[in-house]
Amino acid sequence: MDENVNHVSVAEFGEAGQVEGQLSIEERQKLAEHYSRQLGMMYPIAAPGMADEAGLVFLQKKTTHLIEMLSLFNRSWANEITVIQKAVFQYLATEGISKKERQRIIDVWGDWSTFLIDISRYRGLLTHHLQYYQRQVSDLDKLLKQDNSL
């Protein structure tokens, strides 16, 4: 992930004299309303029946899973492409492989290479989405850890 990006949460820009990481009641309420709307947009079926805190916990868990999924794709694929090319070329160079099997391997290799190249094009976008969702989970952590009621 890009280390030059500001990872400061919206919640950390509180009023002077406020304990860092602690939210004022007004900030807490606004943040809870924001994430409740977010829950309603992302999971409209689940949102209406959930209490505020249960809904925020649900959103936090779902967002954490989304971060895990996006993290799988947010890496350099350049090394994998060359390793796969070498392995495929070596396999295709051996004797005794039928023409049909060769063609199937070439097709699969082509599809995989296209996938790796396509996903590499979107790495910057993946990084930005990961940072957004990580800040969201951080905000939800702070919101849920405070003892004040929503």
Side-chain angles (χ1 to χ4, degrees):
M1 194 153 39
D2 189 3
E3 294 178 14
N4 297 326
V5 176
N6 184 356
H7 296 285
V8 177
S9 167
V10 175
E12 292 176 2
F13 288 105
E15 300 169 5
Q18 184 177 342
V19 177
E20 185 178 331
Q22 292 290 320
L23 302 172
S24 70
I25 294 171
E26 184 179 311
E27 289 173 323
R28 183 172 164 71
Q29 188 62 35
K30 285 181 181 179
L31 204 55
E33 289 171 7
H34 169 75
Y35 286 121
S36 291
R37 284 192 304 275
Q38 182 96 10
L39 175 67
M41 289 189 312
M42 291 179 70
Y43 305 100
I45 295 172
M50 291 193 156
D52 286 341
E53 189 169 344
L56 294 177
V57 169
F58 178 79
L59 180 62
Q60 182 184 33
K61 287 180 182 179
K62 291 295 185 179
T63 303
T64 300
H65 291 302
L66 185 58
I67 289 169
E68 291 170 3
M69 180 196 68
L70 291 175
S71 295
L72 291 173
F73 295 105
N74 189 30
R75 63 189 183 94
S76 174
W77 295 87
N79 293 337
E80 283 83 357
I81 291 173
T82 57
V83 169
I84 290 171
Q85 284 177 334
K86 288 177 184 177
V88 169
F89 286 144
Q90 186 175 6
Y91 182 73
L92 292 175
T94 61
E95 298 291 325
I97 301 172
S98 70
K99 189 174 182 176
K100 183 178 178 181
E101 180 67 12
R102 276 184 207 276
Q103 188 58 49
R104 189 181 75 74
I105 291 169
I106 290 170
D107 291 342
V108 170
W109 173 51
D111 290 345
W112 180 249
S113 296
T114 301
F115 168 74
L116 292 179
I117 291 167
D118 287 347
I119 203 157
S120 295
R121 290 180 24 219
Y122 297 107
R123 187 163 183 218
L125 180 62
L126 278 171
T127 299
H128 289 293
H129 279 280
L130 272 170
Q131 291 167 347
Y132 169 76
Y133 290 120
Q134 287 167 339
R135 282 191 299 270
Q136 184 173 330
V137 167
S138 175
D139 285 348
L140 287 166
D141 278 341
K142 289 175 187 173
L143 189 61
L144 291 169
K145 284 181 182 176
Q146 286 189 354
D147 294 332
N148 301 340
S149 65
L150 299 174

